[in-house]
Amino acid sequence: MTEHDYTISLNYQHRIRFTRDAFYEGNRMLARLLQTNSHAKLLIFLEDSVAVAFPKLERQIGEYFGSTPGLELKRVVIAPGAEICKRDEKVLHSVWDAVNEEKIDRHSYIFAIGGGAFLDVIGFGAATSHRGVRFVRFPTTTLSQDDSGVGVKNGINAFGKKNWLGSFAVPYAVVNDFTFLHTQPEDVRRDGLVEAIKVALVRDGAFFDWLEDNVKLLVKLRPHALEEAVERSAILHAEHIAHGGDPFELGSSRPLDYGHWAAHKLEQLTDFGMTHAQAVSVGLALDTLYSWRTGRLEEKDAKRVLALLHGLKLPLYHEGFELKHENGRRKLFDGLEEFREHLGGELTVLLLRGVGKGEDVHFVDEAVVEYCMQMLELYAAASTSEEREKVFH
């Protein structure tokens, strides 16, 4: 009997581009980005809401690739997006059907143009077709441009849980086209900034300072401020994935998921009536107060986090906190075990040691969390800064 161990190392290039009007005939960024030295097919999936907002986009796509040698556009497929597409397998099956019908191969490209949930589903279809077709992400929302769109995860919901089915697959490229960014509803644009706050809290205190300094511009959605926030956030997320040492989450630590154990559960408890961005905001507020109440984070910094969330009109509390099992235990706490189960190993939740500095912990005191929930309810109900200040005393 013999035993043999081999180390297989893989190198990926994670290409991220920032541009405007990517499909404008004078913008040749895409032509440079894609490998056109041999004939390649293109299959493009366009989220229906984006198609409505940009009625000329499908024609522009056709004209752009019609004038780009070496690339053959086979089809533009318009499909539903938002969170429902992660629960309805029809969208996923439409990817596999189109790949088969158009004879898309591993030297072809699949594009997805839409929000984060849409990218997750189309990306999963691309990753599981022929064991992986080159995938190009075109995130169109604040939340997907500053966070999920530059990631390496794909997935759909199953068994009532987020992303239970999925894969890790580094996309061929991510194109953040700021033209899409400014057409969303105002609240959606603002809500997506929560992931910028999150990554600043766990990785870059100077970026958090910048967000504070520019909160008045951001809440008014001034384009230059919004675009800078999105780009800085996206780069921080990508740098962590590329250089953080665990891009495919083989361990139990999830630093980019600060505040997410509660967020994911709140989404589920509300049957996804609560958006991911709104849930993350509440989750950030909860874990920030918990970090303070457990002696890790200074009170002044906890106040700064809540003030920034409040200043951007982001939610800090949700009545989903009050949902309980028959034994009186809050249903939200089920999210802790589900968070642990997702990666396996021991429970690992990131808390704050300071603005820009996180710490993994392996135990969460539910009684302290309950106290923090009560504080958030009072803080969210306060109408003046003086009333919000009293919550801490």
Side-chain angles (χ1 to χ4, degrees):
M1 182 180 293
T2 62
E3 298 181 6
H4 305 273
D5 297 320
Y6 301 94
T7 299
I8 299 177
S9 298
L10 300 175
N11 292 318
Y12 295 95
Q13 189 170 7
H14 197 20
R15 306 168 182 87
I16 300 174
R17 304 290 187 267
F18 298 90
T19 189
R20 286 185 182 83
D21 297 314
F23 297 106
Y24 171 63
E25 61 181 357
N27 186 342
R28 305 312 292 170
M29 182 272 296
L30 277 177
R32 294 191 301 271
L33 180 64
L34 305 181
Q35 296 178 11
T36 58
N37 55 338
S38 60
H39 182 78
K41 300 174 184 176
L42 287 141
L43 184 60
I44 296 182
F45 288 84
L46 176 61
E47 185 172 340
D48 53 6
S49 60
V50 180
V52 171
F54 295 88
K56 297 180 181 179
L57 181 59
E58 188 174 356
R59 176 180 57 79
Q60 290 174 334
I61 291 171
E63 291 175 351
Y64 187 93
F65 290 116
S67 63
T68 305
L71 295 173
E72 180 187 0
L73 176 61
K74 300 299 294 185
R75 191 192 303 182
V76 176
V77 180
I78 298 175
E83 196 64 37
I84 192 171
C85 75
K86 298 185 72 166
R87 291 182 282 171
D88 184 351
E89 293 187 9
K90 291 180 181 178
V91 177
L92 175 62
H93 282 275
S94 74
V95 179
W96 293 332
D97 290 342
V99 168
N100 179 56
E101 292 165 6
E102 300 294 351
K103 302 188 185 305
I104 299 298
D105 54 40
R106 289 170 56 84
H107 296 279
S108 302
Y109 296 92
I110 294 176
F111 281 36
I113 306 173
F118 189 73
L119 301 186
D120 276 353
V121 177
I122 307 303
F124 186 46
T128 51
S129 300
H130 300 304
R131 300 191 183 97
V133 176
R134 293 170 179 167
F135 182 49
V136 180
R137 295 181 176 182
F138 264 82
T140 58
T141 63
T142 306
L143 193 68
S144 57
Q145 288 199 2
D146 73 359
D147 175 21
S148 61
V150 300
V152 296
K153 302 178 191 177
N154 307 291
I156 63 172
N157 301 342
F159 302 106
K161 301 173 185 178
K162 277 184 69 75
N163 301 318
W164 196 91
L165 290 171
S167 64
F168 287 98
V170 180
Y172 177 85
V174 180
V175 179
N176 273 352
D177 187 335
F178 287 146
T179 300
F180 294 120
L181 187 62
H182 303 293
T183 61
Q184 309 161 77
E186 289 188 4
D187 59 337
V188 175
R189 271 180 280 169
R190 272 195 303 269
D191 288 354
L193 287 169
V194 71
E195 293 288 3
I197 297 172
K198 175 212 69 180
V199 77
L201 284 173
V202 301
R203 284 192 59 88
D204 191 340
F207 181 36
F208 186 87
D209 295 343
W210 183 89
L211 291 167
E212 281 185 313
D213 293 341
N214 290 275
V215 64
K216 291 183 179 179
L217 295 176
L218 292 169
V219 76
K220 294 178 181 178
L221 298 171
R222 294 292 187 259
H224 68 282
L226 180 62
E227 290 175 11
E228 182 171 348
V230 166
E231 184 164 349
R232 291 179 68 168
S233 175
I235 290 171
L236 282 171
H237 278 90
E239 286 180 346
H240 176 81
I241 293 166
H243 305 304
D246 190 17
F248 296 158
E249 296 181 356
L250 298 176
S252 297
S253 179
R254 300 167 69 178
L256 292 182
D257 281 345
Y258 175 61
H260 281 52
W261 74 265
H264 287 168
K265 193 61 186 178
L266 279 172
E267 288 179 81
Q268 181 186 340
L269 290 173
T270 61
D271 195 27
F272 297 95
M274 193 178 193
T275 69
H276 181 67
Q278 293 166 345
V280 169
S281 180
V282 174
L284 285 186
L286 183 62
D287 280 0
T288 295
L289 282 187
Y290 185 85
S291 297
W292 164 59
R293 290 296 299 177
T294 53
R296 294 175 170 85
L297 186 67
E298 292 186 24
E299 181 180 304
K300 65 179 180 63
D301 289 331
K303 290 178 178 178
R304 290 173 66 199
V305 177
L306 265 59
L308 180 56
L309 293 170
H310 176 76
L312 288 173
K313 300 182 180 180
L314 294 167
L316 300 169
Y317 174 82
H318 192 272
E319 56 269 21
F321 282 165
E322 304 306 319
L323 297 173
K324 297 180 181 180
H325 294 290
E326 292 182 359
N327 63 5
R329 185 172 183 260
R330 295 180 191 266
K331 292 184 178 181
L332 185 80
F333 292 136
D334 295 344
L336 288 167
E337 172 57 21
E338 291 171 10
F339 198 73
R340 184 208 65 78
E341 178 187 286
H342 188 63
L343 291 186
E346 62 182 335
L347 174 68
T348 303
V349 173
L350 188 81
L351 297 178
L352 294 182
R353 274 287 179 189
V355 173
K357 184 179 180 181
E359 175 188 56
D360 282 336
V361 302
H362 307 291
F363 170 76
V364 174
D365 188 324
E366 294 183 8
V368 177
V369 175
E370 293 217 16
Y371 183 85
C372 295
M373 290 179 185
Q374 295 167 11
M375 287 188 65
L376 287 177
E377 184 176 14
L378 294 172
Y379 191 99
S383 56
T384 66
S385 58
E386 290 78 13
E387 291 177 352
R388 287 189 288 275
E389 178 66 25
K390 288 180 182 179
V391 172
F392 283 84
H393 302 290

